[in-house]
Amino acid sequence: MSDSALSLPDLIGESLVDDALFAAAYEESTDGERALMKTCIARLYDWYGPRKDTAREVAERWRGGFASVRRSAPVDFALVLFDGTFASPARLLAALVPAMACGVQNVLAVRMDGGEDWAHPLLTAMELAGQELVADLTGEGVSSLLRNLSDAGASVAVIDFAGRPGLCEGRSRVAVHSPAFDRSAVLFLDDGETFDLDALAFIHPDTAFTAFGADVPLPDGFVRGDGGFSAFLDAVRDVAFVPADRANDTLGRARLVLAPGQEGCWVWPELHPEFFLFHCTAWTIGD
């Protein structure tokens, strides 16, 4: 469908977040905080693109006596859904920036049932990433939006942090990915300079950190784990922060390993560029 066939602002009406909130959030942030977010954005653009072509078509003939045509192009719309408990700008950027880098023209960030106040780092992150469409919607509002997009034949990629079962079920041309993360992480410290702990606390404020290794002062909310590196490895679930020379030993225990200098960064390892493409295939009898 054409990009102009549907307008997200028209569909969501007065639910768009006012530009004044973005400006206020940006002013409240520090240079150091913005630098962390900019680094995350740059890393994600390097990882995912940016995509240069607008569509692809591959025609093939097969030994089995048939022919095929495969087409792919960026989806018409990408929606990133999260609720009022979601507070990490890095994890949000790791969903929004890939959609942009992969060529999706219409990207909407939606806070569902979020209440009155916004977490300022989230607004600042989206401002820095150039995310212009941000809305506050109820669950019913999101369902209505998806219904309208589906009924119009639009292709849609949804990244669902809100975890609303059944929200997108049965929708034609709607693909859903729900990143799995229990909001806990472990880190290993060789000394007090291994990681910028204040940066970790800022960029991942809704994550419970357990620190192993050097006995150094920890930010509020961090807890200390017992034992050395072996105990650290045993405690790994999904995400680990380790010195670079210990990364290979940790990879495989964790889906995501981040070393010093990557405090402000995040990537969803299972979120591939193909998710943001609409794929179609034809099989015919070949020559």
Side-chain angles (χ1 to χ4, degrees):
M1 64 175 297
S2 66
D3 290 342
S4 60
L6 290 175
S7 165
L8 285 174
D10 290 344
L11 288 173
I12 58 181
E14 298 179 356
S15 299
L16 284 175
V17 175
D18 193 285
D19 288 344
L21 290 179
F22 288 94
Y26 186 91
E27 289 300 321
E28 184 176 297
S29 64
T30 67
D31 289 343
E33 291 168 350
R34 291 194 293 269
L36 287 170
M37 299 177 197
K38 289 178 181 178
T39 298
C40 184
I41 293 167
R43 297 280 194 274
L44 289 165
Y45 266 106
D46 280 344
W47 189 255
Y48 282 97
R51 183 184 176 94
K52 295 180 179 179
D53 58 334
T54 58
R56 296 174 184 172
E57 180 173 308
V58 178
E60 297 169 295
R61 297 187 182 278
W62 300 83
R63 291 179 179 176
F66 70 102
S68 67
V69 176
R70 289 179 289 167
R71 293 177 182 171
S72 64
V75 295
D76 299 310
F77 298 90
L79 274 60
V80 178
L81 311 178
F82 53 97
D83 61 22
T85 69
F86 189 99
S88 170
R91 296 206 312 276
L92 181 58
L93 288 170
L96 290 170
V97 173
M100 301 175 192
C102 292
V104 182
Q105 296 298 308
N106 302 287
V107 182
L108 175 65
V110 178
R111 186 179 67 161
M112 299 178 61
D113 302 317
E116 295 294 326
D117 297 326
W118 271 85
H120 283 189
L122 294 183
L123 294 176
T124 302
M126 289 187 283
E127 176 82 359
L128 291 170
Q131 175 58 40
E132 297 180 352
L133 296 176
V134 182
D136 267 311
L137 293 174
T138 64
E140 179 53 39
V142 173
S143 292
S144 176
L145 173 61
L146 287 169
R147 183 167 54 252
N148 288 331
L149 293 176
S150 181
D151 289 349
S155 54
V156 186
V158 179
I159 299 180
D160 180 18
F161 291 113
R164 302 293 178 91
L167 188 67
C168 305
E169 286 182 2
R171 303 292 187 196
S172 176
R173 296 177 174 239
V174 176
V176 183
H177 175 64
S178 299
F181 177 55
D182 66 0
R183 300 192 186 185
S184 69
V186 292
L187 67 153
F188 191 86
L189 303 167
D190 284 334
D191 53 44
E193 303 300 319
T194 306
F195 283 100
D196 184 339
L197 299 181
D198 290 334
L200 286 177
F202 166 76
I203 208 76
H204 307 292
D206 53 358
T207 297
F209 283 95
T210 303
F212 292 81
D215 185 5
V216 301
L218 298 175
D220 291 342
F222 285 49
V223 298
R224 194 173 304 284
D226 295 327
F229 189 66
S230 178
F232 161 83
L233 288 177
D234 289 340
V236 171
R237 292 173 63 86
D238 280 331
V239 180
F241 293 80
V242 297
D245 60 358
R246 298 181 185 270
N248 284 337
D249 293 332
T250 309
L251 193 61
R253 297 291 190 103
R255 290 185 302 134
L256 177 61
V257 177
L258 295 168
Q262 310 288 356
E263 287 91 342
C265 298
W266 195 272
V267 65
W268 298 104
E270 71 280 11
L271 184 59
H272 303 293
E274 289 77 13
F275 177 72
F276 298 101
L277 304 179
F278 181 70
H279 302 266
C280 53
T281 298
W283 282 5
T284 60
I285 297 299
D287 295 336

